[in-house]
mmCIF file of all heavy atoms in Angstrom:
data_model
loop_
_atom_site.group_PDB
_atom_site.id
_atom_site.type_symbol
_atom_site.label_atom_id
_atom_site.label_comp_id
_atom_site.label_asym_id
_atom_site.label_seq_id
_atom_site.Cartn_x
_atom_site.Cartn_y
_atom_site.Cartn_z
ATOM 1 N N LEU A 1 -163.707 42.809 34.115
ATOM 2 C CA LEU A 1 -163.320 41.831 35.122
ATOM 3 C C LEU A 1 -162.054 41.106 34.669
ATOM 4 O O LEU A 1 -162.005 40.555 33.564
ATOM 5 C CB LEU A 1 -164.451 40.832 35.356
ATOM 6 C CG LEU A 1 -165.741 41.420 35.960
ATOM 7 C CD1 LEU A 1 -166.769 40.323 36.174
ATOM 8 C CD2 LEU A 1 -165.453 42.136 37.284
ATOM 9 N N PRO A 2 -161.023 41.084 35.496
ATOM 10 C CA PRO A 2 -159.725 40.529 35.055
ATOM 11 C C PRO A 2 -159.766 39.044 34.757
ATOM 12 O O PRO A 2 -158.925 38.543 34.010
ATOM 13 C CB PRO A 2 -158.798 40.843 36.236
ATOM 14 C CG PRO A 2 -159.701 41.031 37.406
ATOM 15 C CD PRO A 2 -160.969 41.618 36.862
ATOM 16 N N TRP A 3 -160.702 38.323 35.337
ATOM 17 C CA TRP A 3 -160.768 36.881 35.107
ATOM 18 C C TRP A 3 -161.667 36.501 33.926
ATOM 19 O O TRP A 3 -161.921 35.332 33.698
ATOM 20 C CB TRP A 3 -161.247 36.164 36.366
ATOM 21 C CG TRP A 3 -162.541 36.682 36.914
ATOM 22 C CD1 TRP A 3 -163.796 36.370 36.505
ATOM 23 C CD2 TRP A 3 -162.690 37.628 37.972
ATOM 24 N NE1 TRP A 3 -164.730 37.058 37.222
ATOM 25 C CE2 TRP A 3 -164.082 37.838 38.151
ATOM 26 C CE3 TRP A 3 -161.792 38.324 38.800
ATOM 27 C CZ2 TRP A 3 -164.591 38.715 39.103
ATOM 28 C CZ3 TRP A 3 -162.311 39.182 39.751
ATOM 29 C CH2 TRP A 3 -163.684 39.372 39.890
ATOM 30 N N SER A 4 -162.149 37.488 33.198
ATOM 31 C CA SER A 4 -162.974 37.201 32.031
ATOM 32 C C SER A 4 -162.135 36.525 30.941
ATOM 33 O O SER A 4 -161.090 37.058 30.542
ATOM 34 C CB SER A 4 -163.580 38.492 31.484
ATOM 35 O OG SER A 4 -164.310 38.248 30.309
ATOM 36 N N PRO A 5 -162.546 35.350 30.433
ATOM 37 C CA PRO A 5 -161.746 34.630 29.433
ATOM 38 C C PRO A 5 -161.613 35.427 28.133
ATOM 39 O O PRO A 5 -162.547 36.102 27.698
ATOM 40 C CB PRO A 5 -162.545 33.340 29.196
ATOM 41 C CG PRO A 5 -163.469 33.223 30.357
ATOM 42 C CD PRO A 5 -163.764 34.622 30.805
ATOM 43 N N VAL A 6 -160.448 35.324 27.516
ATOM 44 C CA VAL A 6 -160.209 36.004 26.246
ATOM 45 C C VAL A 6 -161.177 35.514 25.180
ATOM 46 O O VAL A 6 -161.663 36.290 24.352
ATOM 47 C CB VAL A 6 -158.748 35.795 25.804
ATOM 48 C CG1 VAL A 6 -158.537 36.314 24.382
ATOM 49 C CG2 VAL A 6 -157.795 36.496 26.764
ATOM 50 N N GLU A 7 -161.466 34.224 25.187
ATOM 51 C CA GLU A 7 -162.385 33.679 24.194
ATOM 52 C C GLU A 7 -163.783 34.277 24.328
ATOM 53 O O GLU A 7 -164.481 34.467 23.338
ATOM 54 C CB GLU A 7 -162.446 32.151 24.323
ATOM 55 C CG GLU A 7 -161.166 31.447 23.910
ATOM 56 C CD GLU A 7 -160.769 31.767 22.476
ATOM 57 O OE1 GLU A 7 -161.670 31.805 21.610
ATOM 58 O OE2 GLU A 7 -159.579 31.987 22.222
ATOM 59 N N LEU A 8 -164.200 34.550 25.556
ATOM 60 C CA LEU A 8 -165.501 35.185 25.768
ATOM 61 C C LEU A 8 -165.507 36.593 25.201
ATOM 62 O O LEU A 8 -166.489 37.019 24.583
ATOM 63 C CB LEU A 8 -165.833 35.207 27.262
ATOM 64 C CG LEU A 8 -167.139 35.894 27.654
ATOM 65 C CD1 LEU A 8 -168.329 35.156 27.035
ATOM 66 C CD2 LEU A 8 -167.284 35.978 29.171
ATOM 67 N N ARG A 9 -164.408 37.315 25.367
ATOM 68 C CA ARG A 9 -164.306 38.669 24.813
ATOM 69 C C ARG A 9 -164.381 38.636 23.293
ATOM 70 O O ARG A 9 -165.027 39.481 22.672
ATOM 71 C CB ARG A 9 -162.994 39.315 25.262
ATOM 72 C CG ARG A 9 -162.883 39.486 26.764
ATOM 73 C CD ARG A 9 -161.574 40.131 27.151
ATOM 74 N NE ARG A 9 -161.442 40.221 28.596
ATOM 75 C CZ ARG A 9 -160.429 40.825 29.219
ATOM 76 N NH1 ARG A 9 -159.476 41.394 28.519
ATOM 77 N NH2 ARG A 9 -160.387 40.856 30.543
ATOM 78 N N LYS A 10 -163.717 37.656 22.689
ATOM 79 C CA LYS A 10 -163.774 37.516 21.239
ATOM 80 C C LYS A 10 -165.207 37.266 20.767
ATOM 81 O O LYS A 10 -165.641 37.791 19.742
ATOM 82 C CB LYS A 10 -162.889 36.352 20.790
ATOM 83 C CG LYS A 10 -161.398 36.613 20.844
ATOM 84 C CD LYS A 10 -160.665 35.395 20.311
ATOM 85 C CE LYS A 10 -159.159 35.593 20.320
ATOM 86 N NZ LYS A 10 -158.453 34.384 19.803
ATOM 87 N N LEU A 11 -165.913 36.444 21.534
ATOM 88 C CA LEU A 11 -167.270 36.078 21.146
ATOM 89 C C LEU A 11 -168.227 37.261 21.272
ATOM 90 O O LEU A 11 -169.088 37.477 20.421
ATOM 91 C CB LEU A 11 -167.751 34.917 22.028
ATOM 92 C CG LEU A 11 -169.173 34.404 21.782
ATOM 93 C CD1 LEU A 11 -169.275 33.798 20.385
ATOM 94 C CD2 LEU A 11 -169.560 33.382 22.848
ATOM 95 N N ILE A 12 -168.062 38.042 22.334
ATOM 96 C CA ILE A 12 -169.006 39.122 22.632
ATOM 97 C C ILE A 12 -168.710 40.393 21.854
ATOM 98 O O ILE A 12 -169.617 41.158 21.535
ATOM 99 C CB ILE A 12 -168.998 39.405 24.158
ATOM 100 C CG1 ILE A 12 -169.642 38.239 24.908
ATOM 101 C CG2 ILE A 12 -169.718 40.706 24.488
ATOM 102 C CD1 ILE A 12 -169.622 38.400 26.406
ATOM 103 N N LYS A 13 -167.446 40.623 21.511
ATOM 104 C CA LYS A 13 -167.040 41.917 20.953
ATOM 105 C C LYS A 13 -167.856 42.373 19.741
ATOM 106 O O LYS A 13 -168.307 43.525 19.701
ATOM 107 C CB LYS A 13 -165.558 41.898 20.614
ATOM 108 C CG LYS A 13 -165.041 43.239 20.104
ATOM 109 C CD LYS A 13 -163.557 43.174 19.840
ATOM 110 C CE LYS A 13 -162.800 42.973 21.122
ATOM 111 N NZ LYS A 13 -161.334 42.928 20.889
ATOM 112 N N PRO A 14 -168.091 41.526 18.721
ATOM 113 C CA PRO A 14 -168.859 42.023 17.565
ATOM 114 C C PRO A 14 -170.254 42.509 17.936
ATOM 115 O O PRO A 14 -170.706 43.551 17.446
ATOM 116 C CB PRO A 14 -168.914 40.795 16.640
ATOM 117 C CG PRO A 14 -167.745 39.970 17.035
ATOM 118 C CD PRO A 14 -167.604 40.149 18.511
ATOM 119 N N THR A 15 -170.924 41.760 18.810
ATOM 120 C CA THR A 15 -172.262 42.186 19.252
ATOM 121 C C THR A 15 -172.178 43.448 20.092
ATOM 122 O O THR A 15 -173.030 44.343 19.983
ATOM 123 C CB THR A 15 -172.933 41.060 20.057
ATOM 124 O OG1 THR A 15 -172.989 39.878 19.263
ATOM 125 C CG2 THR A 15 -174.337 41.458 20.484
ATOM 126 N N HIS A 16 -171.163 43.551 20.926
ATOM 127 C CA HIS A 16 -170.964 44.724 21.770
ATOM 128 C C HIS A 16 -170.770 45.978 20.918
ATOM 129 O O HIS A 16 -171.360 47.036 21.190
ATOM 130 C CB HIS A 16 -169.738 44.492 22.658
ATOM 131 C CG HIS A 16 -169.492 45.576 23.653
ATOM 132 N ND1 HIS A 16 -170.240 45.750 24.789
ATOM 133 C CD2 HIS A 16 -168.550 46.559 23.686
ATOM 134 C CE1 HIS A 16 -169.785 46.785 25.479
ATOM 135 N NE2 HIS A 16 -168.763 47.294 24.831
ATOM 136 N N VAL A 17 -169.966 45.852 19.879
ATOM 137 C CA VAL A 17 -169.703 46.984 18.980
ATOM 138 C C VAL A 17 -170.983 47.395 18.253
ATOM 139 O O VAL A 17 -171.341 48.579 18.191
ATOM 140 C CB VAL A 17 -168.596 46.610 17.978
ATOM 141 C CG1 VAL A 17 -168.475 47.670 16.891
ATOM 142 C CG2 VAL A 17 -167.271 46.415 18.697
ATOM 143 N N TRP A 18 -171.664 46.409 17.688
ATOM 144 C CA TRP A 18 -172.895 46.689 16.935
ATOM 145 C C TRP A 18 -173.967 47.288 17.842
ATOM 146 O O TRP A 18 -174.628 48.262 17.485
ATOM 147 C CB TRP A 18 -173.386 45.397 16.295
ATOM 148 C CG TRP A 18 -174.668 45.538 15.553
ATOM 149 C CD1 TRP A 18 -174.847 46.044 14.297
ATOM 150 C CD2 TRP A 18 -175.978 45.179 16.016
ATOM 151 N NE1 TRP A 18 -176.183 46.017 13.948
ATOM 152 C CE2 TRP A 18 -176.897 45.487 14.989
ATOM 153 C CE3 TRP A 18 -176.460 44.601 17.197
ATOM 154 C CZ2 TRP A 18 -178.261 45.260 15.114
ATOM 155 C CZ3 TRP A 18 -177.820 44.372 17.325
ATOM 156 C CH2 TRP A 18 -178.706 44.697 16.291
ATOM 157 N N MET A 19 -174.127 46.709 19.028
ATOM 158 C CA MET A 19 -175.158 47.188 19.943
ATOM 159 C C MET A 19 -174.873 48.608 20.418
ATOM 160 O O MET A 19 -175.793 49.403 20.630
ATOM 161 C CB MET A 19 -175.266 46.251 21.148
ATOM 162 C CG MET A 19 -176.454 46.541 22.053
ATOM 163 S SD MET A 19 -178.037 46.302 21.223
ATOM 164 C CE MET A 19 -178.030 44.521 21.054
ATOM 165 N N GLY A 20 -173.601 48.944 20.573
ATOM 166 C CA GLY A 20 -173.264 50.304 20.989
ATOM 167 C C GLY A 20 -173.755 51.338 19.997
ATOM 168 O O GLY A 20 -174.306 52.381 20.383
ATOM 169 N N ALA A 21 -173.578 51.071 18.711
ATOM 170 C CA ALA A 21 -174.053 52.000 17.686
ATOM 171 C C ALA A 21 -175.572 52.069 17.670
ATOM 172 O O ALA A 21 -176.158 53.149 17.533
ATOM 173 C CB ALA A 21 -173.526 51.573 16.318
ATOM 174 N N ILE A 22 -176.218 50.908 17.826
ATOM 175 C CA ILE A 22 -177.685 50.872 17.822
ATOM 176 C C ILE A 22 -178.248 51.678 18.981
ATOM 177 O O ILE A 22 -179.221 52.433 18.828
ATOM 178 C CB ILE A 22 -178.186 49.415 17.898
ATOM 179 C CG1 ILE A 22 -177.811 48.662 16.616
ATOM 180 C CG2 ILE A 22 -179.691 49.364 18.127
ATOM 181 C CD1 ILE A 22 -178.419 49.229 15.363
ATOM 182 N N ILE A 23 -177.648 51.560 20.158
ATOM 183 C CA ILE A 23 -178.141 52.281 21.333
ATOM 184 C C ILE A 23 -178.027 53.791 21.129
ATOM 185 O O ILE A 23 -178.937 54.548 21.489
ATOM 186 C CB ILE A 23 -177.384 51.838 22.600
ATOM 187 C CG1 ILE A 23 -177.745 50.393 22.950
ATOM 188 C CG2 ILE A 23 -177.711 52.759 23.783
ATOM 189 C CD1 ILE A 23 -176.886 49.789 24.040
ATOM 190 N N LEU A 24 -176.931 54.247 20.552
ATOM 191 C CA LEU A 24 -176.776 55.682 20.303
ATOM 192 C C LEU A 24 -177.847 56.189 19.349
ATOM 193 O O LEU A 24 -178.468 57.234 19.585
ATOM 194 C CB LEU A 24 -175.389 55.971 19.740
ATOM 195 C CG LEU A 24 -175.104 57.436 19.404
ATOM 196 C CD1 LEU A 24 -175.216 58.307 20.645
ATOM 197 C CD2 LEU A 24 -173.723 57.586 18.769
ATOM 198 N N VAL A 25 -178.082 55.447 18.272
ATOM 199 C CA VAL A 25 -179.111 55.850 17.310
ATOM 200 C C VAL A 25 -180.492 55.847 17.954
ATOM 201 O O VAL A 25 -181.286 56.784 17.778
ATOM 202 C CB VAL A 25 -179.079 54.927 16.069
ATOM 203 C CG1 VAL A 25 -180.259 55.220 15.152
ATOM 204 C CG2 VAL A 25 -177.768 55.096 15.317
ATOM 205 N N LEU A 26 -180.798 54.802 18.719
ATOM 206 C CA LEU A 26 -182.093 54.732 19.400
ATOM 207 C C LEU A 26 -182.253 55.857 20.426
ATOM 208 O O LEU A 26 -183.359 56.379 20.615
ATOM 209 C CB LEU A 26 -182.254 53.373 20.092
ATOM 210 C CG LEU A 26 -182.498 52.178 19.179
ATOM 211 C CD1 LEU A 26 -182.516 50.883 20.001
ATOM 212 C CD2 LEU A 26 -183.803 52.328 18.412
ATOM 213 N N SER A 27 -181.164 56.232 21.084
ATOM 214 C CA SER A 27 -181.216 57.335 22.043
ATOM 215 C C SER A 27 -181.619 58.637 21.361
ATOM 216 O O SER A 27 -182.441 59.409 21.880
ATOM 217 C CB SER A 27 -179.858 57.502 22.733
ATOM 218 O OG SER A 27 -179.490 56.352 23.451
ATOM 219 N N ILE A 28 -181.039 58.881 20.196
ATOM 220 C CA ILE A 28 -181.365 60.094 19.453
ATOM 221 C C ILE A 28 -182.818 60.060 18.991
ATOM 222 O O ILE A 28 -183.550 61.055 19.113
ATOM 223 C CB ILE A 28 -180.406 60.242 18.256
ATOM 224 C CG1 ILE A 28 -178.982 60.481 18.759
ATOM 225 C CG2 ILE A 28 -180.847 61.384 17.349
ATOM 226 C CD1 ILE A 28 -177.928 60.385 17.682
ATOM 227 N N ILE A 29 -183.262 58.903 18.479
ATOM 228 C CA ILE A 29 -184.658 58.776 18.055
ATOM 229 C C ILE A 29 -185.597 59.005 19.228
ATOM 230 O O ILE A 29 -186.613 59.705 19.107
ATOM 231 C CB ILE A 29 -184.898 57.385 17.432
ATOM 232 C CG1 ILE A 29 -184.125 57.249 16.125
ATOM 233 C CG2 ILE A 29 -186.382 57.149 17.204
ATOM 234 C CD1 ILE A 29 -184.153 55.860 15.540
ATOM 235 N N SER A 30 -185.267 58.432 20.382
ATOM 236 C CA SER A 30 -186.118 58.597 21.565
ATOM 237 C C SER A 30 -186.243 60.057 21.963
ATOM 238 O O SER A 30 -187.339 60.544 22.265
ATOM 239 C CB SER A 30 -185.549 57.781 22.735
ATOM 240 O OG SER A 30 -185.497 56.414 22.437
ATOM 241 N N CYS A 31 -185.120 60.777 21.962
ATOM 242 C CA CYS A 31 -185.139 62.166 22.422
ATOM 243 C C CYS A 31 -185.873 63.084 21.451
ATOM 244 O O CYS A 31 -186.684 63.922 21.871
ATOM 245 C CB CYS A 31 -183.712 62.659 22.647
ATOM 246 S SG CYS A 31 -182.937 61.957 24.122
ATOM 247 N N ILE A 32 -185.619 62.949 20.163
ATOM 248 C CA ILE A 32 -186.284 63.872 19.233
ATOM 249 C C ILE A 32 -187.772 63.539 19.107
ATOM 250 O O ILE A 32 -188.593 64.442 18.929
ATOM 251 C CB ILE A 32 -185.597 63.877 17.853
ATOM 252 C CG1 ILE A 32 -185.609 62.509 17.199
ATOM 253 C CG2 ILE A 32 -184.172 64.401 17.977
ATOM 254 C CD1 ILE A 32 -185.002 62.500 15.802
ATOM 255 N N SER A 33 -188.151 62.268 19.239
ATOM 256 C CA SER A 33 -189.581 61.930 19.229
ATOM 257 C C SER A 33 -190.260 62.450 20.493
ATOM 258 O O SER A 33 -191.415 62.884 20.462
ATOM 259 C CB SER A 33 -189.788 60.422 19.093
ATOM 260 O OG SER A 33 -189.273 59.716 20.206
ATOM 261 N N GLY A 34 -189.527 62.431 21.624
ATOM 262 C CA GLY A 34 -190.084 62.966 22.872
ATOM 263 C C GLY A 34 -190.281 64.471 22.812
ATOM 264 O O GLY A 34 -191.288 64.992 23.303
ATOM 265 N N ILE A 35 -189.317 65.174 22.221
ATOM 266 C CA ILE A 35 -189.466 66.630 22.051
ATOM 267 C C ILE A 35 -190.690 66.933 21.208
ATOM 268 O O ILE A 35 -191.510 67.805 21.548
ATOM 269 C CB ILE A 35 -188.190 67.216 21.402
ATOM 270 C CG1 ILE A 35 -187.006 67.113 22.362
ATOM 271 C CG2 ILE A 35 -188.419 68.674 20.992
ATOM 272 C CD1 ILE A 35 -185.669 67.419 21.713
ATOM 273 N N ASN A 36 -190.841 66.221 20.113
ATOM 274 C CA ASN A 36 -191.968 66.445 19.221
ATOM 275 C C ASN A 36 -193.298 66.145 19.920
ATOM 276 O O ASN A 36 -194.262 66.910 19.800
ATOM 277 C CB ASN A 36 -191.804 65.576 17.979
ATOM 278 C CG ASN A 36 -192.694 65.985 16.840
ATOM 279 O OD1 ASN A 36 -193.499 65.213 16.356
ATOM 280 N ND2 ASN A 36 -192.559 67.229 16.380
ATOM 281 N N GLU A 37 -193.333 65.053 20.661
ATOM 282 C CA GLU A 37 -194.557 64.677 21.384
ATOM 283 C C GLU A 37 -194.924 65.722 22.427
ATOM 284 O O GLU A 37 -196.092 66.092 22.576
ATOM 285 C CB GLU A 37 -194.348 63.320 22.035
ATOM 286 C CG GLU A 37 -195.569 62.772 22.754
ATOM 287 C CD GLU A 37 -195.307 61.395 23.332
ATOM 288 O OE1 GLU A 37 -195.308 60.420 22.558
ATOM 289 O OE2 GLU A 37 -195.095 61.307 24.559
ATOM 290 N N LYS A 38 -193.921 66.218 23.160
ATOM 291 C CA LYS A 38 -194.178 67.226 24.190
ATOM 292 C C LYS A 38 -194.737 68.508 23.574
ATOM 293 O O LYS A 38 -195.661 69.129 24.130
ATOM 294 C CB LYS A 38 -192.879 67.524 24.949
ATOM 295 C CG LYS A 38 -193.021 68.580 26.038
ATOM 296 C CD LYS A 38 -194.005 68.156 27.115
ATOM 297 C CE LYS A 38 -194.060 69.181 28.225
ATOM 298 N NZ LYS A 38 -195.071 68.819 29.259
ATOM 299 N N LEU A 39 -194.201 68.903 22.446
ATOM 300 C CA LEU A 39 -194.694 70.119 21.793
ATOM 301 C C LEU A 39 -196.132 69.944 21.306
ATOM 302 O O LEU A 39 -196.949 70.858 21.435
ATOM 303 C CB LEU A 39 -193.777 70.498 20.632
ATOM 304 C CG LEU A 39 -192.379 70.989 21.017
ATOM 305 C CD1 LEU A 39 -191.518 71.188 19.781
ATOM 306 C CD2 LEU A 39 -192.448 72.277 21.834
ATOM 307 N N PHE A 40 -196.449 68.787 20.769
ATOM 308 C CA PHE A 40 -197.820 68.537 20.326
ATOM 309 C C PHE A 40 -198.792 68.582 21.508
ATOM 310 O O PHE A 40 -199.907 69.108 21.393
ATOM 311 C CB PHE A 40 -197.921 67.180 19.625
ATOM 312 C CG PHE A 40 -197.593 67.232 18.165
ATOM 313 C CD1 PHE A 40 -196.542 66.487 17.653
ATOM 314 C CD2 PHE A 40 -198.324 68.028 17.289
ATOM 315 C CE1 PHE A 40 -196.244 66.529 16.293
ATOM 316 C CE2 PHE A 40 -198.026 68.080 15.938
ATOM 317 C CZ PHE A 40 -196.984 67.323 15.445
#
């Protein structure tokens, strides 16, 4: 959003970066655990 304050972006960015990595890892865990569960 073009009207988003720069200070808000500074505040959110570290959490945004960290959360992005966490979501990718959790996605992989979810999928491989689901494959294993389905096979069982």
Side-chain angles (χ1 to χ4, degrees):
L1 295 181
W3 54 82
S4 176
V6 171
E7 291 302 319
L8 177 63
R9 298 180 183 185
K10 286 183 179 180
L11 179 65
I12 290 177
K13 183 178 294 181
T15 303
H16 185 75
V17 170
W18 177 79
M19 189 63 70
I22 293 298
I23 292 170
L24 179 61
V25 173
L26 287 175
S27 299
I28 294 169
I29 293 172
S30 299
C31 287
I32 60 177
S33 64
I35 292 169
N36 195 239
E37 183 178 283
K38 179 61 176 177
L39 291 174
F40 274 120

